[in-house]
């Protein structure tokens, strides 16, 4: 990949870690405003695709039919991390849907966050499919299958009508023909999509600026879904995680994915960004996104401050002593 250095981590002046990567930023004319590295590089969305994968549910009457709350609906877009409020919302959602936990295709897991995971193991709790960080997405998939009369069996297969609908929606949002969308298998077992990084940014531009979507049904579904995401930021991720920090800003639509992929759109500025950290690190997301917002002179300084607090630009040892720096090296 044609990439550039995004982040350097130093210890006592010596470079210890280097994070190469790619960034693409677009405007509402679908033009490239900012480019670091090759923005035409195909990149897998991973979990940054979850809002797109949730849109068929928001296009249906599943939410109203089963009296699903905003908190529960946010799970359809979430990489939930196993906090008590996540588990409570998942349990509540499961009770409302005509589904069984064992029908979920995702694997049984412990909570993703360390504290609830350690507590569960300490209490001799068992892994559950409901604790998988993609469980909300899978519950949504199965609920939609029931609503549409699709077979639940094989909902994770590329050729299943649900997955074909998702590819069609992604094509509309990304401006990439369906036949040019590359499809792999994600960690939870369902299809995962790769498109050029620029088109990932375009996808999030349309999530932030739904007036750019010609299909009125998809447009309204995006408006409804993004309102839910902004209203329930902790459900989408958790308190001290970048997605929740950004979604607390009602001007931002954001979601990250595994292996260093992050996407966000700015509603008022009518711009959007997609980035890929080639080391696969999620740790440096706050530094990169904060620097990006600073470089475009983003008006909400509280959001930038919150990102800086999430991951300060210093390296500390176990005793809390400052022993190094985290430096943003890229210029948009």
């Amino acid at each position: 990949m044609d990439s550039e250095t995004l982040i350097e981590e130093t210890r006592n002046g010596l470079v210890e870690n280097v994070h190469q990567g790619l960034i693409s930023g677009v405007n509402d004319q679908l033009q490239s405003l900012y480019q670091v590295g090759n923005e035409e590089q195909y990149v897998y969305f991973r979990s940054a695709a979850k809002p797109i994968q949730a849109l068929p549910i928001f296009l249906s009457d599943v939410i109203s039919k089963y009296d699903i709350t905003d908190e529960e609906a946010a799970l359809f877009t979430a990489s939930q991390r196993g906090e008590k409020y996540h588990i409570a919302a998942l349990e509540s959602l499961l009770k409302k849907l005509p589904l069984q936990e064992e029908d979920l295709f995702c694997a049984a897991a412990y909570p993703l966050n360390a504290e609830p995971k350690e507590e569960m193991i300490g209490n001799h709790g068992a892994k559950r499919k409901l604790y998988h960080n993609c469980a909300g997405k899978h519950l949504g998939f199965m609920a939609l299958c029931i609503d549409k009369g699709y077979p639940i069996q094989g909902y994770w297969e590329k050729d299943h009508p649900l997955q074909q609908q998702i590819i069609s929606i992604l094509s509309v949002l990304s401006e990439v023909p369906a036949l040019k969308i590359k499809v792999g298998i994600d960690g939870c077992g369902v299809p995962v999509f790769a498109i050029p990084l620029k088109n990932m940014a375009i996808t999030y531009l349309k999530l932030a600026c739904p007036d750019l979507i010609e299909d009125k049904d998809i447009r309204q579904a995006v408006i409804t879904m993004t309102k839910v995401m902004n209203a329930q930021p902790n459900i989408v991720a958790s308190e001290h995680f970048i997605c929740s920090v950004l979604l607390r800003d009602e001007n931002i639509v954001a979601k990250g994915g595994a292996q260093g992929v992050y996407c966000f759109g700015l509603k008022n500025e009518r711009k959007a960004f997609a980035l890929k950290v080639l080391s696969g690190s999620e740790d440096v997301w706050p530094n990169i996104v904060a620097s990006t917002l600073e470089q475009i002179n983003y008006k909400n300084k509280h959001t930038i401050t919150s990102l800086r607090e999430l991951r300060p630009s210093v390296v500390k040892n176990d005793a809390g002593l400052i022993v190094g720096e985290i430096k943003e090296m890229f210029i948009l």
Side-chain angles (χ1 to χ4, degrees):
M1 292 184 182
D2 178 13
S3 63
E4 297 181 23
T5 298
L6 301 181
I7 300 288
E8 281 187 357
E9 297 181 72
T10 66
R11 188 177 297 266
N12 193 27
L14 180 68
V15 174
E16 190 167 41
N17 294 309
V18 175
H19 300 275
Q20 299 283 120
L22 317 168
I23 301 175
S24 177
V26 298
N27 64 12
D28 62 359
Q29 302 301 307
L30 312 188
Q31 299 167 328
S32 295
L33 289 180
Y34 312 101
Q35 183 176 349
V36 177
N38 179 15
E39 66 178 7
E40 298 300 328
Q41 174 66 50
Y42 267 71
V43 174
Y44 280 114
F45 269 99
R46 302 302 298 268
S47 284
K50 282 179 176 173
I52 297 93
Q53 292 168 310
L55 281 172
I57 302 144
F58 288 88
L59 281 162
S60 75
D61 64 355
V62 165
I63 291 172
S64 58
K65 182 176 181 179
Y66 295 105
D67 195 26
I68 293 171
T69 66
D70 280 359
E71 186 178 37
E72 294 157 353
L75 289 167
F76 300 140
T77 72
S79 294
Q80 65 85 17
R81 303 182 70 84
E83 297 292 341
K84 287 182 171 61
Y85 50 83
H86 289 130
I87 302 302
L90 285 162
E91 295 276 13
S92 175
L93 179 59
L94 183 60
K95 287 177 183 177
K96 291 181 178 181
L97 299 174
L99 303 170
Q100 301 298 318
E101 182 175 349
E102 54 266 28
D103 293 331
L104 289 164
F105 187 66
C106 55
Y110 285 121
L112 201 58
N113 278 353
E115 188 173 331
K117 177 180 179 180
E118 290 166 3
E119 181 180 348
M120 195 164 290
I121 292 172
N123 292 330
H124 306 289
K127 292 181 179 181
R128 289 179 60 182
K129 290 189 173 187
L130 202 64
Y131 298 158
H132 193 285
N133 78 310
C134 296
K137 175 178 73 177
H138 283 251
L139 286 171
F141 283 171
M142 292 196 297
L144 187 79
C145 288
I146 291 171
D147 186 66
K148 294 294 186 184
Y150 300 156
I152 290 181
Q153 180 63 30
Y155 74 81
W156 53 88
E157 299 287 353
K158 175 185 174 182
D159 294 330
H160 189 279
L162 165 62
Q163 300 301 334
Q164 288 299 302
Q165 183 183 5
I166 292 169
I167 289 174
S168 177
I169 292 170
L170 176 58
S171 179
V172 168
L173 295 179
S174 68
E175 307 275 331
V176 176
L179 291 176
K180 292 190 176 181
I181 296 173
K182 299 183 186 298
V183 183
I185 300 174
D186 213 340
C188 65
V190 301
V192 60
F193 315 107
I195 60 176
L197 190 71
K198 177 183 176 181
N199 297 87
M200 293 175 73
I202 289 172
T203 302
Y204 269 75
L205 175 72
K206 292 184 181 180
L207 294 184
C209 304
D211 58 287
L212 297 174
I213 303 170
E214 292 185 8
D215 186 297
K216 62 180 178 59
D217 293 330
I218 297 177
R219 185 192 315 136
Q220 185 55 53
V222 166
I223 291 169
T224 302
M225 179 190 69
T226 53
K227 284 182 178 178
V228 166
M229 292 176 70
N230 285 125
Q232 299 292 333
N234 287 346
I235 291 292
V236 177
S238 64
E239 294 100 326
H240 306 297
F241 199 75
I242 183 173
C243 294
S244 296
V245 167
L246 290 174
L247 288 169
R248 288 187 197 109
D249 183 336
E250 293 186 355
N251 187 48
I252 297 179
V253 180
K255 185 70 181 70
Q259 298 304 315
V261 177
Y262 208 87
C263 303
F264 64 98
L266 306 174
K267 300 174 188 178
N268 293 334
E269 292 75 9
R270 299 180 70 81
K271 298 176 182 178
F273 294 84
L275 66 93
K276 166 71 173 177
V277 182
L278 296 186
S279 65
S281 174
E282 300 177 10
D283 293 341
V284 294
W285 282 344
N287 309 89
I288 296 168
V289 175
S291 179
T292 298
L293 293 175
E294 288 168 348
Q295 290 187 52
I296 66 168
N297 197 28
Y298 185 58
K299 291 181 180 179
N300 191 338
K301 305 306 179 186
H302 175 73
T303 295
I304 297 173
T305 299
S306 297
L307 290 169
R308 293 296 185 191
E309 291 172 349
L310 197 62
R311 193 161 194 264
S313 58
V314 295
V315 177
K316 293 184 178 181
N317 69 3
D318 296 340
L321 297 175
I322 295 175
V323 297
E325 286 185 274
I326 300 169
K327 300 179 180 179
E328 294 102 24
M329 306 300 293
F330 65 95
I331 298 175
L332 293 175

